[in-house]
Amino acid sequence: MKTAIIHHPDCALHDTGGYHPERPERTKAVVDALRENFNDDQLNWVLADKAALSWVEQVHDGAYVRQIEEACLRGDDVLDRGDTQVCMESFDVARLSAGGAMLAVDQVMQGKAKNAFSVMRPPGHHAERAQAMGFCLFNNVAVAARYAQQQYDLKRVAIIDIDVHHGNGTQAAFYDDPSVYFVSFHQYPFYPGTGMAREKGAGEGLGYTLNIPLVAGAEYPEYLLAWETEVLPALTDFKPEMILISAGFDAHIDDPLANMKLNDRDFYELTELIKDFAMQSCGGRLVSVLEGGYNLEALARASVRHVQSLCDVK
Ligand SMILES: [Zn+2]
């Protein structure tokens, strides 16, 4: 079986205003690099579809969803006091981005692909229940997790966030929920300010959030050590039935927004760790959802390495 790549040219319609790091060229750079480096025996190319609002509203307040729609239709250009730009088309593209993550779940759960990577924007992991932030409108990976649970009756889903920023929105969505285990590797202290090791969940969800704050300048051995000593034991106990990756590539050494030192190859190795665990725990059911990554060349190269692991190219 192949790896599914979920994409849509309309991702480029989400216009963030010219000088914004989260720009339309990002998804095109990844798609072009994947087309160049893989053949049709390796990848299934699948066009994304807009998420039904009922699924988006599993994670976000209905009033918030309507507020985003109205802001876009009104022609507002900024949400979240400044860093989350929108245009008239952004509401529809955000639905498409969430729908891409859901379609990636379908590809894997229906046995159409061995795993899947949704190459869509805007990203999602900073978006909270009623708050756009950090370039994110809807929390795509959180919507996909709820969709996997409800559409396919999965009891336990794990989300592993490798974006250099803490996935505050995803953490908040499942903080008191023991059915979704959230792991985040991130630079700390750093934007958005959350993600301390002592944030471990609350109520019934206590012990189902695992934060791996890493100091600026961290390299792959620090990720590997945390994986082996903390993440792998915790996920082994949890026994997920599907694993979602919040795949940000902004921990790359060439990324302009952060200070970590992962190289292209490290993204292959990191994906291998997760994929090997998915093979052991849940038959390889693995869905990756694009988050950040702001140096176009580094984003494209690291994404190629990520997909080399997903489709078993050495
Ligand atoms: Zn990021």
Side-chain angles (χ1 to χ4, degrees):
M1 268 204 294
K2 304 182 200 178
T3 291
I5 304 295
I6 320 300
H7 68 117
H8 202 292
D10 287 357
C11 284
L13 299 179
H14 171 52
D15 179 355
T16 46
Y19 295 97
H20 196 283
E22 204 294 284
R23 55 202 192 277
E25 292 81 3
R26 292 180 63 246
T27 41
K28 183 178 185 322
V30 175
V31 165
D32 288 351
L34 296 180
R35 288 205 189 278
E36 221 168 89
N37 284 274
F38 299 90
N39 60 46
D40 289 346
D41 298 334
Q42 296 168 309
L43 303 181
N44 269 346
W45 290 88
V46 185
L47 267 186
D49 226 342
K50 273 193 256 182
L53 291 181
S54 57
W55 288 111
V56 176
E57 290 174 9
Q58 294 291 318
V59 170
H60 297 284
D61 285 345
Y64 166 76
V65 173
R66 280 182 290 283
Q67 180 195 324
I68 298 288
E69 180 174 27
E70 284 161 13
C72 293
L73 291 178
R74 208 165 43 223
D76 288 6
D77 56 2
V78 175
L79 301 169
D80 176 30
R81 302 168 221 104
D83 67 355
T84 306
Q85 296 263 346
V86 292
C87 67
M88 302 276 268
E89 288 77 17
S90 295
F91 178 73
D92 284 338
V93 182
R95 282 181 67 183
L96 204 51
S97 190
M102 291 165 54
L103 198 56
V105 169
D106 287 333
Q107 285 281 311
V108 173
M109 291 307 300
Q110 294 173 13
K112 294 177 177 168
K114 64 179 168 188
N115 48 40
F117 179 27
S118 181
V119 183
M120 303 287 292
R121 61 185 283 279
H125 72 153
H126 294 305
E128 298 201 345
R129 185 153 193 93
Q131 178 70 55
M133 68 184 270
F135 321 156
C136 301
L137 300 180
F138 300 145
N139 195 316
N140 309 312
V141 81
V143 171
R146 282 291 182 237
Y147 178 71
Q149 289 188 308
Q150 292 174 24
Q151 188 74 4
Y152 296 102
D153 200 27
L154 300 186
K155 305 284 183 262
R156 292 178 310 283
V157 175
I159 301 174
I160 303 175
D161 188 325
I162 61 170
D163 188 280
V164 77
H165 303 96
H166 180 239
N168 59 290
T170 315
Q171 171 170 300
F174 305 113
Y175 207 55
D176 58 2
D177 183 344
S179 71
V180 178
Y181 198 109
F182 177 64
V183 179
S184 179
F185 292 87
H186 48 272
Q187 182 174 330
Y188 187 88
F190 201 46
Y191 182 88
T194 48
M196 285 178 283
R198 68 162 192 256
E199 295 166 27
K200 294 179 174 179
E204 286 186 9
L206 185 62
Y208 294 88
T209 291
L210 175 58
N211 280 300
I212 309 291
L214 297 166
V215 293
E219 299 181 31
Y220 182 70
E222 286 152 272
Y223 283 76
L224 179 61
L225 181 67
W227 174 266
E228 287 177 342
T229 59
E230 296 185 69
V231 178
L232 189 56
L235 290 179
T236 302
D237 283 351
F238 180 66
K239 299 187 182 70
E241 295 165 294
M242 169 172 265
I243 297 170
L244 305 175
I245 305 177
S246 256
F249 297 93
D250 43 8
H252 194 285
I253 188 167
D254 295 336
D255 195 274
L257 262 54
N259 314 98
M260 298 311 228
K261 293 188 173 170
L262 297 185
N263 61 35
D264 300 349
R265 173 84 194 173
D266 295 334
F267 284 95
Y268 174 86
E269 299 295 345
L270 205 46
T271 312
E272 285 285 286
L273 297 176
I274 298 169
K275 186 188 73 177
D276 288 349
F277 174 66
M279 293 305 294
Q280 291 164 30
S281 71
C282 51
R285 285 174 183 165
L286 186 58
V287 162
S288 179
V289 179
L290 181 65
E291 301 282 1
Y294 302 101
N295 174 313
L296 293 183
E297 291 77 28
L299 169 65
R301 294 195 312 266
S303 295
V304 167
R305 294 299 201 162
H306 181 57
V307 173
Q308 280 177 344
S309 168
L310 293 178
C311 69
D312 299 305
V313 175
K314 291 290 173 209

